[in-house]
Amino acid sequence: MVKIAVLVSGGGTNLQALIDAQSCGEIIGGEIAAVIASKPGVYALERAKNAGIPGYVIARKDYSDSRAMTVALVDKLKELGIGLVVLAGFMTIITNEMVEAYPNAILNVHPALIPSFCGKGYYGLHVHEEALKYGVKVSGATVHFVSEECDGGPIVLQKAVPVEEGDTPETLQRRIMEQAEWKLLPQAVSLFCQGRLKVEGRTVHIAE
Ligand code: GAR
């Protein structure tokens, strides 16, 4: 069984999708062993508690810099025996120490079709604001492995979602969550836990 840690910063709807998938037996070969929040009081921690999953807080403000916070995070993950780290709306900068400790074992969900609307500064609602500003007719979500480059790691799964007339950042965000993020993230996690993801350069092969 792969022990999974889900890192969160906010509402935690993607965490909830993972919890629900686990309850339905859809996370094959893995179990959510910990939820780690970047600040106290976030609703995602409540979701973890309701599901009986241990919750922890590792906050940037308690450390001198991002590196020190990342090292503390890695120490915690190792102590818990975590084999897969999932960034599910985790909005704090983590440094290379994390990628070095978990090469091709950190998954991130991004609310756009990478390489569009991604990279430094593109997070949360802002991604959808930019997509609407640009006038795209299709956006979507991407689950990818985390590498040194922000939003630049090998892509595991993507799903396109249409932009509709009159969309606001909020309505587009909701549609992308419902139609793409909440489906792709549990699928990718399950594929990882079954050992079916093989990374070759930038390409992720999915074994049958
Ligand atoms: C999600 O839309 C996720 O894709 C996005 O933040 C939201 C978190 O929602 N992540 C990023 O923008 C990362 N670059 P949630 O807390 O309800 O899962």
Side-chain angles (χ1 to χ4, degrees):
M1 269 290 181
V2 177
K3 285 181 142 194
I4 304 160
V6 185
L7 276 49
V8 294
S9 294
T13 64
N14 279 289
L15 166 66
Q16 191 64 52
L18 289 167
I19 292 170
D20 294 347
Q22 176 162 277
S23 307
C24 298
E26 288 168 8
I27 308 285
I28 301 164
E31 61 168 349
I32 307 169
V35 170
I36 303 180
S38 63
K39 50 181 184 255
V42 296
Y43 189 63
L45 284 171
E46 200 62 31
R47 294 182 194 271
K49 195 170 154 209
N50 292 340
I53 300 164
Y56 307 87
V57 176
I58 295 185
R60 166 69 185 82
K61 67 170 176 50
D62 296 334
Y63 298 89
S64 53
D65 53 23
S66 295
R67 190 186 162 275
M69 191 219 74
T70 305
V71 169
L73 192 54
V74 170
D75 285 350
K76 188 64 179 175
L77 294 167
K78 293 291 177 189
E79 177 196 318
L80 295 170
I82 298 300
L84 170 65
V85 181
V86 179
L87 308 185
F90 190 67
M91 305 300 189
T92 298
I93 290 168
I94 43 177
T95 58
N96 282 348
E97 282 76 12
M98 181 79 170
V99 182
E100 280 157 20
Y102 283 93
N104 289 334
I106 309 167
L107 290 172
N108 179 48
V109 59
H110 183 75
L113 293 174
I114 290 175
S116 289
F117 310 112
C118 65
K120 206 165 175 283
Y122 283 90
Y123 58 86
L125 212 50
H126 180 60
V127 176
H128 307 294
E129 280 165 10
E130 291 300 312
L132 289 176
K133 215 188 278 174
Y134 201 92
V136 292
K137 300 296 185 195
V138 170
S139 190
T142 303
V143 177
H144 64 94
F145 281 118
V146 173
S147 68
E148 279 85 0
E149 191 192 337
C150 181
D151 292 334
I155 290 171
V156 179
L157 295 173
Q158 287 188 301
K159 189 164 188 281
V161 174
V163 175
E164 288 177 10
E165 196 58 44
D167 259 341
T168 63
E170 288 80 6
T171 60
L172 182 59
Q173 178 183 53
R174 182 76 193 180
R175 189 175 315 113
I176 288 173
M177 282 176 155
E178 282 176 358
Q179 295 184 12
E181 295 186 51
W182 299 343
K183 292 180 179 160
L184 292 190
L185 190 58
Q187 270 173 25
V189 166
S190 187
L191 287 168
F192 179 95
C193 293
Q194 293 171 68
R196 289 171 59 191
L197 299 179
K198 305 280 175 239
V199 183
E200 200 183 331
R202 286 209 46 81
T203 304
V204 179
H205 299 282
I206 301 176
E208 282 301 315

